[in-house]
């Protein structure tokens, strides 16, 4: 059964928009289902970062979290989508909700990485920061203020000291971001295929269980 993103769409979108907005201090939002339904709702939001958000993840539920973090390599904001399938959540429910992830990802778009998690160990700050760091192609810091050129006296040589902050021109920077975007699109495509494979695997296992159960009776 499909996920219902329409009933609470205004609230869902507002919570997501609050996280991605530069004008808001909110840096995480958690979503889950209304009781005994596939209607997605906002569970909570906050401005205390990943550590605060983790405390609100329920081991007995299927939840989704969208979090804003600072990339340690670039000091740019990066966004993480967490697909939380608590260890205590019903197995049948887990199998059903796998099929919801694509629609949810499309609604809460813009995530640089998606993390499938079942326990708090999967969402440790150090683990997520490591994955976020590895998703970044370069460690150049384009937000850093350029340093003033070094004052050097002529020495009668053609040698010229290279100052990265000064010598990286606009063209090189554009090429860097173009390469980053290309690799990011490729990564998202791999992630999409991975989710599809997991979904197909769970569906196959479900069908096999049903066949076995019918043969018993």
């Amino acid at each position: 059964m499909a996920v219902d993103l329409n009933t609470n769409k205004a609230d869902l979108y507002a919570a997501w928009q609050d996280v991605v907005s530069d004008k808001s201090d909110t840096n995480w939002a958690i979503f889950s289902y209304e009781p005994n339904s596939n209607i997605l709702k906002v569970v909570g939001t906050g401005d205390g970062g990943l550590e605060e958000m983790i405390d609100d993840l329920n081991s007995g539920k299927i939840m989704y979290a969208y979090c804003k973090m600072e990339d340690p390599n670039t000091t740019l904001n990066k966004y993480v989508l967490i697909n939380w399938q608590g260890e205590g959540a019903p197995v049948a429910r887990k199998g059903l909700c796998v099929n919801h992830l694509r629609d949810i990802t499309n609604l809460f778009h813009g995530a640089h990485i998606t993390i499938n998690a079942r326990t708090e160990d999967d969402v440790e700050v150090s683990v997520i920061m490591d994955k976020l760091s590895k998703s970044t192609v370069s460690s150049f810091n384009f937000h850093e203020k350029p340093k003033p050129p070094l004052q050097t006296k002529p020495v009668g040589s053609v040698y010229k000291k290279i100052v990265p902050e000064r010598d990286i021109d606009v063209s090189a920077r554009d090429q860097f971001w173009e390469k980053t975007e290309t690799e990011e699109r490729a990564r998202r495509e791999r992630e999409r295929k991975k989710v599809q494979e997991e979904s197909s695997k769970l569906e196959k296992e479900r069908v096999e269980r049903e066949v076995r159960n019918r043969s018993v009776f």
Side-chain angles (χ1 to χ4, degrees):
M1 192 172 181
V3 60
D4 181 348
L5 301 176
N6 292 319
T7 301
N8 299 317
K9 189 170 185 177
D11 291 338
L12 297 173
Y13 186 80
W16 169 79
Q17 185 65 38
D18 211 22
V19 175
V20 301
S21 173
D22 292 333
K23 299 179 180 179
S24 171
D25 292 331
T26 301
N27 50 29
W28 63 265
I30 291 180
F31 312 89
S32 190
Y33 300 93
E34 293 186 0
N36 303 315
S37 77
N38 289 321
I39 301 174
L40 200 69
K41 67 174 183 177
V42 179
V43 173
T45 61
D47 58 8
L50 190 62
E51 297 90 342
E52 179 184 59
M53 184 200 72
I54 292 172
D55 290 339
D56 281 11
L57 294 175
N58 190 318
S59 62
K61 294 183 177 181
I62 306 295
M63 309 179 87
Y64 308 92
Y66 200 90
C67 186
K68 176 167 60 182
M69 303 178 68
E70 184 178 283
D71 188 326
N73 288 336
T74 65
T75 68
L76 300 173
N77 285 332
K78 292 295 181 70
Y79 301 96
V80 179
L81 176 65
I82 298 175
N83 175 31
W84 174 264
Q85 295 195 339
E87 282 188 309
V91 175
R93 184 64 174 162
K94 290 180 181 179
L96 174 65
C97 292
V98 166
N99 298 317
H100 296 170
L101 185 58
R102 175 182 292 184
D103 291 334
I104 290 171
T105 301
N106 288 337
L107 179 63
F108 305 136
H109 59 273
H112 294 87
I113 59 172
T114 299
I115 294 177
N116 296 311
R118 293 180 175 82
T119 69
E120 289 188 1
D121 290 340
D122 298 326
V123 290
E124 285 284 345
V125 176
S126 59
V127 172
I128 294 181
M129 290 299 291
D130 181 59
K131 291 182 178 181
L132 196 61
S133 178
K134 289 178 179 178
S135 73
T136 304
V137 176
S138 171
S139 60
F140 279 120
N141 185 344
F142 291 116
H143 278 188
E144 210 171 70
K145 296 180 72 173
K147 298 177 182 178
L150 297 178
Q151 300 297 325
T152 57
K153 295 181 179 180
V155 293
S157 169
V158 296
Y159 170 78
K160 179 182 178 182
K161 184 174 180 64
I162 296 175
V163 181
E165 293 87 348
R166 182 188 65 201
D167 295 333
I168 296 176
D169 58 19
V170 174
S171 177
R173 184 171 59 186
D174 289 345
Q175 289 176 4
F176 161 72
W177 287 119
E178 182 178 353
K179 181 181 178 182
T180 300
E181 291 175 359
T182 299
E183 296 193 1
E184 180 65 19
R185 285 195 295 269
R187 182 198 64 75
R188 290 188 185 182
E189 179 62 19
R190 290 194 299 271
E191 187 69 26
R192 184 185 66 80
K193 290 181 179 179
K194 182 179 178 181
V195 170
Q196 285 182 326
E197 290 172 358
E198 290 180 354
S199 177
S200 298
K201 181 181 177 182
L202 289 170
E203 179 63 18
K204 181 180 178 182
E205 291 175 352
R206 183 188 66 78
V207 172
E208 289 175 350
R209 284 196 301 270
E210 289 182 355
V211 171
R212 286 197 299 271
N213 290 338
R214 286 198 296 269
S215 63
V216 171
F217 296 100

